[in-house]
Amino acid sequence: MEEENGKLHIVMVPWLAMGHLFPFFELSKSLALKGLQISFFTTPSTIHRLPSIPKTLTPFFKFIPFSPSGTNIENTSDLHSDEGQLLFQAYAALEHRLIAFLSDPSYGKPNWIIYDFPAISWAPALASRFSMNSAFFSIFSAAAIAVLDHYAKHDSLKTLTTASDIIPFPTTVALRRFEAIQIRPFLPKEKKRRTNEFMLSRTFREFEGKWIDLLGENCIPVGFLPSSIDEEESETWMRISKWLDEQKEQSVIYVAFGSEAILTREQIDEIALGLEKSDLPFLWVLRVGLPPEGFVERIGERGLVWMGWVPQSRLLAHRAIGGFLTHGGWSSVVEGMVVGAAMAVLPMKYEQGLTARHLVESGYAVEIVRNDEDGYFSAVEIVRKLRILMVEEEGEEVRKKARAGKEIFGSKKLQEEYITELVKALWQKHQMANKPI
């Protein structure tokens, strides 16, 4: 089997956002550990934002840089709020770079292209042109993809806000009106993925079995692929951990809304007021913007506001962290579930509302509910849900389930089994495609 694995060469084509790049990077490392050859396409500045490839994997894992023409934008971190289209234009340059790569025999012949959603319009066709297999890697929850995948056409907001007629089992996983208005322009009018193509899903069957089944027999779960915890004793870690070390076990609510969400002044003020009135200890990572005037002085030693980057997965694993107030981005949810943190989800955009309802329905979270029409959320709702999550009897089952989930989702042995099964599936599909007629 090891000899067979070594013959497989995988081209990775992730989207240029860190929440997409890290899962592709972790999947690539896991496959390289199995002896597969990885060619990872991304921009030069993005390579420097990713962790270094472990020395033992450098014979199997190569970054292939491509530079977008006509723009300095190489990653969503480079964007201002109104520049999203520029990044999609930059990403289009990847197709031409990939064609040149596949046409050059000195790189060897790849067997697979594993691609992200923006490449869905061209990656499968390119794979066919070069006699390769292709697979779509979804870095979202299986539930979110299943719901969105079942809308063949998006004729009305009503279609997007009701799940009962498209999902064959009872569920609350559906968009609210303001979310449907926001996501509708980004949804395809029809399915573009080929039905016989693999879809890799960043999930566990133990968590999303019925949703995986709904996506069909070609949907292959690959586990959560959590990022390795950075053990570097940085100044940021030492300063924050010093404060956490002084807190009671599982008493602190960790608050962060990902690297993409930019909160408005009103939203920051409501979150701040909710944290202040909750009477709970908290660590709030505020990437962009400032807390309200006088907030830091009023909360004193009960809370810590940190501006900028933090080692999130390491902080979530600290013994003092008992809950996680998150936007519901799947990478953040994964980091929370792996360490057994109960979650309060305040969805910000795109599929995050679907993820929030799915987590609530599964018993791992509470949702901070936003107004159906305009998406407004209040400090009162934040206080109520945080106290349920952290201290009130009503939230005890959520806390228990989250702690129990750590034994499954944090299991390295189980994660390894999923990667082993994926390698078998990739190899078998490759053999079938190359079987003489």
Side-chain angles (χ1 to χ4, degrees):
M1 187 68 184
E2 289 299 318
E3 182 181 359
E4 294 171 348
N5 292 345
K7 295 177 183 177
L8 289 182
H9 181 179
I10 315 291
V11 172
M12 292 287 183
V13 187
W15 173 233
L16 302 173
M18 300 313 294
H20 291 243
L21 287 153
F22 278 116
F24 268 83
F25 183 77
E26 293 300 329
L27 178 62
S28 297
K29 284 200 306 180
S30 297
L31 293 176
L33 278 167
K34 295 289 187 181
L36 280 67
Q37 188 72 38
I38 304 296
S39 295
F40 193 105
F41 278 75
T42 194
T43 58
S45 70
T46 298
I47 293 172
H48 296 298
R49 289 180 168 117
L50 289 167
S52 300
I53 302 168
K55 288 184 179 180
T56 55
L57 297 184
T58 52
F60 306 100
F61 191 141
K62 306 294 182 188
F63 283 120
I64 311 294
F66 78 95
S67 297
S69 57
T71 179
N72 293 323
I73 294 173
E74 296 189 8
N75 188 284
T76 52
S77 302
D78 302 328
L79 292 176
H80 297 293
S81 59
D82 58 349
E83 294 179 331
Q85 197 56 39
L86 291 176
L87 194 61
F88 278 98
Q89 293 170 8
Y91 192 76
L94 174 54
E95 181 179 1
H96 304 292
R97 177 70 179 90
L98 190 51
I99 289 171
F101 175 86
L102 296 174
S103 301
D104 187 342
S106 67
Y107 289 111
K109 177 175 167 49
N111 312 110
W112 282 88
I113 295 178
I114 297 179
Y115 65 90
D116 210 337
F117 78 95
I120 200 168
S121 62
W122 54 265
L126 196 60
S128 294
R129 174 178 164 185
F130 285 90
S131 302
M132 300 164 60
N133 290 300
S134 62
F136 167 55
F137 179 26
S138 166
I139 58 95
F140 306 108
S141 71
I145 290 296
V147 170
L148 296 176
D149 213 31
H150 273 64
Y151 299 124
K153 292 188 177 180
H154 314 286
D155 297 326
S156 69
L157 293 175
K158 183 179 179 182
T159 305
L160 290 169
T161 55
T162 55
S164 58
D165 57 340
I166 56 169
I167 305 298
F169 45 79
T171 183
T172 58
V173 182
L175 295 167
R176 304 201 191 283
R177 180 178 170 80
F178 80 94
E179 294 167 338
I181 292 170
Q182 183 188 68
I183 201 172
R184 191 179 178 195
F186 297 97
L187 296 174
K189 299 302 179 186
E190 58 186 16
K191 292 184 182 180
K192 292 184 179 179
R193 268 192 308 111
R194 296 178 294 186
T195 54
N196 64 340
E197 183 182 58
F198 277 174
M199 179 175 126
L200 314 185
S201 182
R202 189 190 184 190
T203 191
F204 284 102
R205 181 166 285 281
E206 288 80 357
F207 176 44
E208 295 194 282
K210 63 183 179 181
W211 295 100
I212 293 168
D213 291 340
L214 195 58
L215 288 166
E217 63 182 7
N218 285 320
C219 179
I220 302 176
V222 297
F224 274 170
L225 299 168
S227 298
S228 303
I229 292 179
D230 183 3
E231 299 291 349
E232 182 184 350
E233 297 300 313
S234 65
E235 182 181 355
T236 296
W237 165 253
M238 289 189 289
R239 289 174 62 186
I240 297 176
S241 63
K242 182 178 183 297
W243 181 83
L244 286 173
D245 289 344
E246 297 169 355
Q247 311 306 313
K248 294 179 181 178
E249 188 168 349
Q250 295 188 331
S251 67
V252 176
I253 183 84
Y254 175 79
V255 184
F257 296 95
S259 59
E260 305 293 325
I262 298 176
L263 302 174
T264 66
R265 181 71 261 167
E266 181 186 34
Q267 289 172 336
I268 291 173
D269 289 348
E270 289 296 324
I271 292 167
L273 185 58
L275 292 172
E276 185 174 352
K277 298 296 184 184
S278 73
D279 289 328
L280 296 166
F282 64 86
L283 166 59
W284 184 8
V285 179
L286 187 57
R287 192 178 65 87
V288 177
L290 295 169
E293 187 176 351
F295 173 76
V296 173
E297 292 75 16
R298 289 195 302 276
I299 56 105
E301 291 297 312
R302 177 166 65 86
L304 178 64
V305 180
W306 191 267
M307 313 295 293
W309 178 88
V310 298
Q312 179 164 287
S313 57
R314 190 176 185 186
L315 289 172
L316 282 167
H318 193 284
R319 60 159 189 83
I321 300 296
F324 183 12
L325 172 52
T326 173
H327 61 307
W330 194 237
S331 288
S332 290
V333 168
V334 162
E335 288 180 325
M337 295 183 78
V338 163
V339 299
M343 285 174 278
V345 187
L346 175 53
M348 289 291 165
K349 58 184 180 178
Y350 306 136
E351 86 300 336
Q352 292 162 8
L354 298 174
T355 300
R357 263 124 263 163
H358 176 36
L359 289 168
V360 172
E361 188 173 274
S362 304
Y364 290 96
V366 297
E367 180 181 359
I368 294 169
V369 179
R370 302 178 63 166
N371 182 278
D372 270 4
E373 296 299 319
D374 61 9
Y376 170 77
F377 59 86
S378 70
V380 172
E381 172 71 355
I382 292 173
V383 171
R384 190 170 76 87
K385 293 298 174 62
L386 288 186
R387 292 201 60 80
I388 288 172
L389 184 74
M390 296 296 290
V391 295
E392 293 182 5
E393 187 177 347
E394 187 179 344
E396 181 59 28
E397 289 304 311
V398 174
R399 296 191 289 273
K400 281 183 180 178
K401 187 149 191 178
R403 289 193 294 268
K406 178 182 178 179
E407 301 304 312
I408 300 170
F409 310 128
S411 168
K412 292 182 179 180
K413 180 175 181 292
L414 185 59
Q415 177 63 71
E416 169 74 12
E417 289 171 3
Y418 274 91
I419 295 300
T420 298
E421 289 303 309
L422 170 61
V423 171
K424 288 179 182 177
L426 293 174
W427 180 248
Q428 288 168 1
K429 183 90 168 180
H430 169 66
Q431 284 184 316
M432 289 175 62
N434 289 273
K435 184 180 290 187
I437 299 175

